[in-house]
Amino acid sequence: MTADLFAADRHRIALDPGAWLFGGFALDRAGELLDAIAAISAAAPFRHLETPGGRRMSVAMTNCGTAGWVSDRGGYRYGPRDPLSGDPWPAMPPQFHVLAAEAAESAGFPGFAPDACLINRYAPGSRLTLHQDRDEAMFEAPIVSVSLGISATFLWGGQARGDRLRRHTLHHGDVLVWGGPARMTFHGIDTLAADDHPLTGAFRFNLTFRRALHPAAPLR
Ligand code: MD3
Ligand code: FE
């Protein structure tokens, strides 16, 4: 497998230039992260967003941070408030900041200060089709993702949609960092198979930390 050609060790695998997998990086903090997700989703519930084309996303989502990612008939964007309640998104917990900055620094991106955390919840049958994350205002910043709960097959290609796809199983506690030349990589999650995890039951959760807003152009 291509990824193994670049393996530095069991816990740190270079998937591509600028793209790192840190196996088990968040394992010791997983319980606290899941408690924080429960608190966030009590205030801003998981919901199935509608795509601009009118399809219901199979992944349920919520956000914390200054900005949250939303999709509806009007398009994809970051906004300061939960459209369901009209309230600001829940604050990003300090341990989220710490984890994201530590992982980014380990991948060679010091000073990462995410202002948005999209929280995805996958049930068996959920999938995320191949896409780029391009709604952020600062592509200089990396994206950090944390996998929790049941395992999933992560798909990633190249900088063009038609590039060859590779796959890797993401486990509970795994952290990925995508920055620099890997920032615009096409990626997705294959249809989730049914499984059971002691901490999350039938679900998989994924946190993605982003720098959504440019400091000079705050949200209104
Ligand atoms: C590569 N989430 O929320 S995480 C997403 O597991 C998203 O829920 C997936 O794709 C999930 O947008 C994949 C891995 C990931 C996240 C962001 C990336 C890989 C990325 C951004 C650029 C390149
Ligand atoms: Fe993505």
Side-chain angles (χ1 to χ4, degrees), residues 118 120 122 128 131 133 143 145 147 154 170 176 178 182-185 187-189 204 206 208 210:
L118 174 62
N120 294 150
Y122 295 75
L128 196 60
H131 66 279
D133 289 13
I143 290 187
S145 104
S147 292
F154 173 64
L170 293 177
L176 289 167
W178 299 79
R183 175 62 182 76
M184 299 312 283
T185 301
H187 61 280
I189 294 287
R204 170 178 187 262
N206 181 264
T208 48
R210 300 125 185 280

Side-chain angles (χ1 to χ4, degrees), residues 29-113:
R29 301 173 238 194
E32 290 144 61
L33 296 174
L34 288 165
D35 289 347
I37 292 171
I40 290 162
S41 62
F46 284 102
R47 80 290 308 259
H48 295 272
L49 296 169
E50 194 178 8
T51 66
R55 302 174 77 100
R56 174 188 188 265
M57 296 184 71
S58 62
V59 178
M61 299 179 174
T62 188
N63 293 276
C64 65
T66 311
W69 187 86
V70 290
S71 173
D72 59 21
R73 286 298 191 126
Y76 308 122
R77 65 192 167 278
Y78 284 93
R81 290 171 183 277
D82 180 349
L84 286 182
S85 63
D87 294 335
W89 293 107
M92 200 185 295
Q95 77 260 36
F96 280 27
H97 270 119
V98 169
L99 172 59
E102 281 181 15
E105 173 140 23
S106 300
F109 303 101
F112 181 47

